[in-house]
Amino acid sequence: MTDQSRAGSSGSLGSIGVEIAGTAMHLPSTKLTNHDLEQMMDTSDEWIIKRTGIHTRRRADIAGGETTSVLASEAMRKALENAKIDPKDLDLLLVATMTCDSPTPSIGCIVAREIGCRDIGAMDINAACSGFLYTICMADAMIRSGQYKTVGVIGADTVTRHIDYSNFGRGAAILFGDGAGAMVLRATDDPSIGMISHEMHADGHGAKHLFIPSCEIDFPEEAEFDERKLDKVQMNGQAVFKFAVTKFQEVIQETLTDSGLTADDIDHFVCHQANSRILDSARERFGIPEEKLLVNIQKYGNTVGASIPIVFDELMSEGKLKKGQKVMFLAFGAGLTWGSSLWQL
Ligand code: COA
């Protein structure tokens, strides 16, 4: 959907733009390498690298205090410092997560308390690995509406607590890692800065391919109930792989068509890191050079909602992002969900 066709946009971008004022990431300290996994299950470093591109990932020590809210608060604190913005100047906090510390309060509320915000809106958004992408689409719209000026957006997950590190769970165990990434978005008076176009998709018919069951009723019809699966990630790897390769390519084309651009016009593709082979398929299909699509999955694995802001923060820290550049954010994940968000910096 382009801005011109978005409800409430009155056929123009209006007078407000959205700049990315600061970014940061925060990772748990413990590394879990492929060699560590070899000690826990029947797998090999070679198998994992060949199938996924992953060498290592981080695992949060929840009992030791590395909860989702702690990772999220640290990421936001650093992003505000980098943006040179006082936490008291934030007027909204949106957190993409599917691994809240507990059902309530939200991570948003805890982060607001921990970083010293006063009386602001705060909430969580759950769209699994597409969560951060959904969140920046919403934040852009809320800032352009004129009702919010400075919005903190975070992607934070500690999904490894839902992983079975035995042979039984090895399909998913190799993929996931924990982490948090954050951005501070701020209103500017140049409406050409910010989101140009976006696509948000979901298809609950595919929910059965990637889910975490809490009780027997959460098991899809075709899956047999097994107590060992409760509270652990259940994934049909091949079905998710096929979905991701197809939708990833479709949504890039959809976004380029809607915005009247070609792949060559995009300076950076900031992609959810799920599997290096999925990213390669998109690069090959659109002729995207390596330097325009940063792959960091080898270091962090799939960090769910955190993967996109972590990639963006790495690009920022390496000085690769320049004013005027076009950046296409792309994600897919459980739900099933997928989408894009095209920005001009
Ligand atoms: N280590 C070693 N062998 C493993 C293994 C592991 N961790 N997991 C599965 N295997 C074995 C299987 O038992 C199977 O053995 P068999 O041929 O003797 O039956 C073989 O490897 C192939 O299994 P398969 O499931 O077909 O592997 P795959 O090529 O599909 O790769 C994934 C598995 C998970 C890496 C791949 O399907 C994938 O990346 N899917 C997408 C997942 C994803 O992106 N999820 C997140 C979305 S946000």
Side-chain angles (χ1 to χ4, degrees), residues 41-44 47-48 51-52 128-130 167 169-176 210 235-244 272-275 277-278 302 304 332-334 336:
M41 64 191 73
D42 184 13
T43 193
S44 70
W47 192 95
I48 300 171
R51 301 283 166 123
T52 68
C129 297
S130 307
N167 276 345
R170 67 178 182 164
I174 57 166
L175 290 179
F176 293 98
L210 188 49
M235 185 179 71
N236 176 343
Q238 292 197 358
V240 175
F241 191 90
K242 231 178 271 169
F243 148 76
H272 171 52
Q273 310 278 308
N275 183 315
R277 289 187 293 146
I278 296 170
N302 177 346
V304 189
F332 52 88
L336 298 167

Side-chain angles (χ1 to χ4, degrees), residues 277-289:
R277 289 187 293 146
I278 296 170
L279 300 176
D280 286 346
S281 74
R283 279 207 314 103
E284 279 161 29
R285 159 82 173 73
F286 291 95
I288 301 167

Side-chain angles (χ1 to χ4, degrees), residues 106-343:
S106 69
I107 300 293
C109 289
I110 300 173
V111 173
R113 179 192 72 201
E114 290 303 308
I115 66 174
C117 297
R118 236 179 279 135
D119 194 18
I120 61 164
M123 69 179 114
D124 295 353
I125 292 155
N126 181 351
C129 297
S130 307
F132 189 80
L133 183 120
Y134 273 45
T135 302
I136 53 173
C137 292
M138 285 186 261
D140 177 274
M142 291 173 98
I143 293 173
R144 285 187 194 269
S145 77
Q147 297 189 50
Y148 297 90
K149 283 200 165 53
T150 313
V151 178
V153 286
I154 304 172
D157 272 297
T158 53
V159 73
T160 66
R161 67 188 146 114
H162 295 292
I163 293 293
D164 175 356
Y165 289 103
S166 75
N167 276 345
F168 190 63
R170 67 178 182 164
I174 57 166
L175 290 179
F176 293 98
D178 300 328
M183 283 181 187
V184 182
L185 304 180
R186 182 169 55 189
T188 115
D189 55 11
D190 178 352
S192 71
I193 298 175
M195 192 167 72
I196 301 166
S197 169
H198 78 279
E199 318 287 340
M200 287 199 278
H201 296 288
D203 179 5
H205 294 95
K208 61 188 175 191
H209 296 313
L210 188 49
F211 63 103
I212 303 176
S214 301
C215 55
E216 189 165 355
I217 203 166
D218 294 339
F219 284 73
E221 253 174 46
E222 45 280 272
E224 219 167 278
F225 171 69
D226 184 331
E227 210 169 349
R228 291 174 298 173
K229 294 182 177 172
L230 288 177
D231 207 33
K232 303 294 179 214
V233 173
Q234 302 304 313
M235 185 179 71
N236 176 343
Q238 292 197 358
V240 175
F241 191 90
K242 231 178 271 169
F243 148 76
V245 167
T246 311
K247 293 302 180 192
F248 207 45
Q249 297 188 11
E250 268 179 30
V251 82
I252 292 175
Q253 189 53 59
E254 202 178 355
T255 315
L256 292 173
T257 304
D258 275 358
S259 54
L261 298 171
T262 68
D264 287 347
D265 297 322
I266 310 300
D267 298 288
H268 299 280
F269 292 82
V270 175
C271 302
H272 171 52
Q273 310 278 308
N275 183 315
S276 57
R277 289 187 293 146
I278 296 170
L279 300 176
D280 286 346
S281 74
R283 279 207 314 103
E284 279 161 29
R285 159 82 173 73
F286 291 95
I288 301 167
E290 271 179 34
E291 63 273 14
K292 283 193 178 186
L293 195 161
L294 179 70
V295 177
N296 64 12
I297 193 170
Q298 63 282 4
K299 295 186 278 186
Y300 311 122
N302 177 346
T303 55
V304 189
S307 86
I308 286 187
I310 287 176
V311 170
F312 194 82
D313 183 59
E314 283 202 348
L315 288 169
M316 185 74 113
S317 308
E318 289 166 15
K320 291 187 174 150
L321 299 169
K322 308 267 181 287
K323 268 196 187 329
Q325 285 185 333
K326 290 190 175 59
V327 176
M328 192 187 290
F329 297 93
L330 291 152
F332 52 88
L336 298 167
T337 54
W338 66 103
S340 69
S341 187
L342 176 61
W343 285 58

